[in-house]
């Protein structure tokens, strides 16, 4: 049973005349008759009573017509819903973001996107590892640290950023034009917990310099971290993005050197997964937002 055969069947039901039905469909009458014969052969029962030039539906024909109304109604509904998806008037958008400042960056755009597309349901997940939920098709895309050496994913680079020392203006190191990483061995340090991706990168850099980072205070929120630094409790190492999201003019920001710590942030998504228009629009909004804050 093919959709084209059902379309031919419905046309005859509406016209109760093979010639008029064939003209309505734009096909020849023999082609129409052949399609109905194939359908009747497939079902094993006649669908029409043919009495001279008069045509009526059999009981089987009436039954099939009722089901066809449901089938074509569902198809019309599917077309309408797909049209709405194309114009971002419905749908669900699931985004994965690394916990930390990247999460802060993306979540800041949710209100703007919702205002633009209020009928789209948005789900933002803060995760430690974006790979597994992407592979499981739980996410449309994710924002994470690059490079990600995995051939299953396509990547869009968003920006590259450097890390800086942040301190109270009265701190002895605040007059320096740059500060080497090993200076943290002598200072009171305030950091995010070891599970934070920013912290992991700094811990690795310290390890490569043959020492361990031993923070005086650990806190999971940027507000409390900056408050502690501002009070003079210690210094911290933060990404440029976080400093842009939470500007504090009263704090001194000094470039970190030896080594210079940098990272690349980007969008990743499965190569074989269809990306809907809502996802594309959010990525475009993210790119534009970054262009503004990174000027």
């Amino acid at each position: 049973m093919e959709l084209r055969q059902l379309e031919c069947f419905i046309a005859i039901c509406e016209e109760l005349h093979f010639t008029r039905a064939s003209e309505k469909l734009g096909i020849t009458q023999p082609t129409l008759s052949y399609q109905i014969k194939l359908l009747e052969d497939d079902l094993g029962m006649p669908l029409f009573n043919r009495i001279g030039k008069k045509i009526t539906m059999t009981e089987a024909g009436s039954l099939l017509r009722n089901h066809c109304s449901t089938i074509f109604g569902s198809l019309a509904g599917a077309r309408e819903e797909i049209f709405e998806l194309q114009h971002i008037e419905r749908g669900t958008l699931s985004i994965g973001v690394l916990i930390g400042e990247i999460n802060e960056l993306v979540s800041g755009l949710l209100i703007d996107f919702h205002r633009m597309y209020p009928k789209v349901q948005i789900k933002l997940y803060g995760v430690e590892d974006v790979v597994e939920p992407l592979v499981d098709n739980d996410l449309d895309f994710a924002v994470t640290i690059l490079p990600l050496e995995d051939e299953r994913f396509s990547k869009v680079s968003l920006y590259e950023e450097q890390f800086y020392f942040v301190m109270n203006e009265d701190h002895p190191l605040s007059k320096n034009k740059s500060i080497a990483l090993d200076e943290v061995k002598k200072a009171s340090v305030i950091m995010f917990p070891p599970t934070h991706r920013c912290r992991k990168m700094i811990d690795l850099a310290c390890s490569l310099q043959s020492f361990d980072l031993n923070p005086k205070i650990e806190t999971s929120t940027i507000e409390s971290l900056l408050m502690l630094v501002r009070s003079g409790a210690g210094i911290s190492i933060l990404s440029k993005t976080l400093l842009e999201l939470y500007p504090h003019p009263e704090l001194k920001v000094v470039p970190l050197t030896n080594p210079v710590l940098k990272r690349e942030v980007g969008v990743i998504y499965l190569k074989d997964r269809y990306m809907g228009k809502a996802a594309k629009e959010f990525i475009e909004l993210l790119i534009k937002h970054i262009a503004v804050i990174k000027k």
Side-chain angles (χ1 to χ4, degrees):
M1 190 183 301
E2 297 178 2
L3 186 61
R4 184 56 176 165
Q5 294 169 354
L6 295 179
E7 289 174 338
C8 292
F9 167 73
I10 287 297
I12 297 173
C13 290
E14 291 172 348
E15 299 294 333
L16 292 178
H17 196 284
F18 272 75
T19 300
R20 288 198 298 269
S22 63
E23 290 172 351
K24 182 177 183 178
L25 294 170
I27 60 176
T28 64
Q29 186 174 328
T31 299
L32 177 63
S33 298
Y34 178 68
Q35 291 295 326
I36 296 301
K37 182 179 183 305
L38 289 176
L39 183 57
E40 290 178 327
D41 289 346
D42 183 37
L43 294 171
M45 294 188 72
L47 299 171
F48 297 101
N49 296 307
R50 299 166 178 83
I51 305 170
K53 293 185 178 181
K54 188 176 180 182
I55 296 172
T56 60
M57 279 185 287
T58 65
E59 188 176 356
S62 296
L63 184 64
L64 181 61
R65 183 176 185 178
N66 290 336
H67 283 283
C68 281
S69 297
T70 302
I71 292 168
F72 285 105
S74 295
L75 287 174
R79 288 192 184 96
E80 182 178 349
E81 289 181 17
I82 291 171
F83 176 85
E84 290 175 354
L85 280 177
Q86 290 173 332
H87 293 79
I88 320 183
E89 294 179 6
R90 65 160 58 228
T92 301
L93 178 60
S94 298
I95 307 168
V97 189
L98 289 181
I99 295 171
E101 60 266 38
I102 299 176
N103 190 315
E104 300 274 344
L105 176 66
V106 176
S107 62
L109 296 176
L110 295 182
I111 294 176
D112 290 341
F113 188 83
H114 177 68
R115 285 172 179 162
M116 293 165 65
Y117 308 107
K119 295 182 180 179
V120 176
Q121 182 184 11
I122 311 170
K123 298 178 181 180
L124 182 65
Y125 299 98
V127 293
E128 294 290 352
D129 182 7
V130 301
V131 172
E132 185 175 342
L134 278 170
V135 172
D136 291 341
N137 279 313
D138 293 331
L139 302 174
D140 292 292
F141 66 88
V143 184
T144 188
I145 297 171
L146 302 178
L148 183 72
E149 301 303 332
D150 193 321
E151 292 301 318
R152 294 173 294 180
F153 298 106
S154 292
K155 308 173 188 71
V156 178
S157 179
L158 294 174
Y159 61 90
E160 186 177 83
E161 65 179 354
Q162 194 169 333
F163 283 77
Y164 295 83
F165 277 101
V166 184
M167 65 204 71
N168 186 293
E169 289 183 334
D170 297 328
H171 195 278
L173 295 174
S174 64
K175 306 302 179 185
N176 293 30
K177 291 185 178 180
S178 64
I179 304 172
L181 178 61
D182 62 7
E183 289 288 339
V184 299
K185 292 188 290 185
K186 310 169 191 175
S188 295
V189 183
I190 303 165
M191 292 297 299
F192 291 118
T195 55
H196 198 287
R197 289 297 293 267
C198 172
R199 170 69 184 277
K200 287 181 178 180
M201 183 177 181
I202 296 166
D203 280 345
L204 177 59
C206 291
S207 178
L208 293 174
Q209 294 284 312
S210 302
F211 70 91
D212 294 326
L213 181 64
N214 295 303
K216 178 181 177 182
I217 302 174
E218 291 182 352
T219 176
S220 60
T221 68
I222 181 60
E223 291 86 358
S224 61
L225 187 150
L226 290 173
M227 179 189 70
L228 289 164
V229 172
R230 189 167 57 247
S231 72
I235 67 174
S236 189
I237 301 174
L238 299 174
S239 68
K240 190 171 188 292
T241 297
L242 207 46
L243 295 169
E244 290 165 342
L245 291 171
Y246 294 88
H248 285 270
E250 71 276 18
L251 295 180
K252 186 71 174 180
V253 177
V254 182
L256 187 159
T257 59
N258 193 28
V260 173
L261 292 187
K262 289 184 178 181
R263 70 177 179 183
E264 183 182 8
V265 175
V267 171
I268 65 169
Y269 55 92
L270 284 173
K271 287 181 178 178
D272 298 330
R273 191 183 195 281
Y274 171 75
M275 181 177 285
K277 194 166 183 180
K280 292 177 181 177
E281 286 293 319
F282 194 97
I283 293 171
E284 187 63 29
L285 182 66
L286 182 58
I287 291 170
K288 290 177 180 178
H289 178 65
I290 288 169
V292 172
I293 67 173
K294 297 293 181 183
K295 280 184 179 179

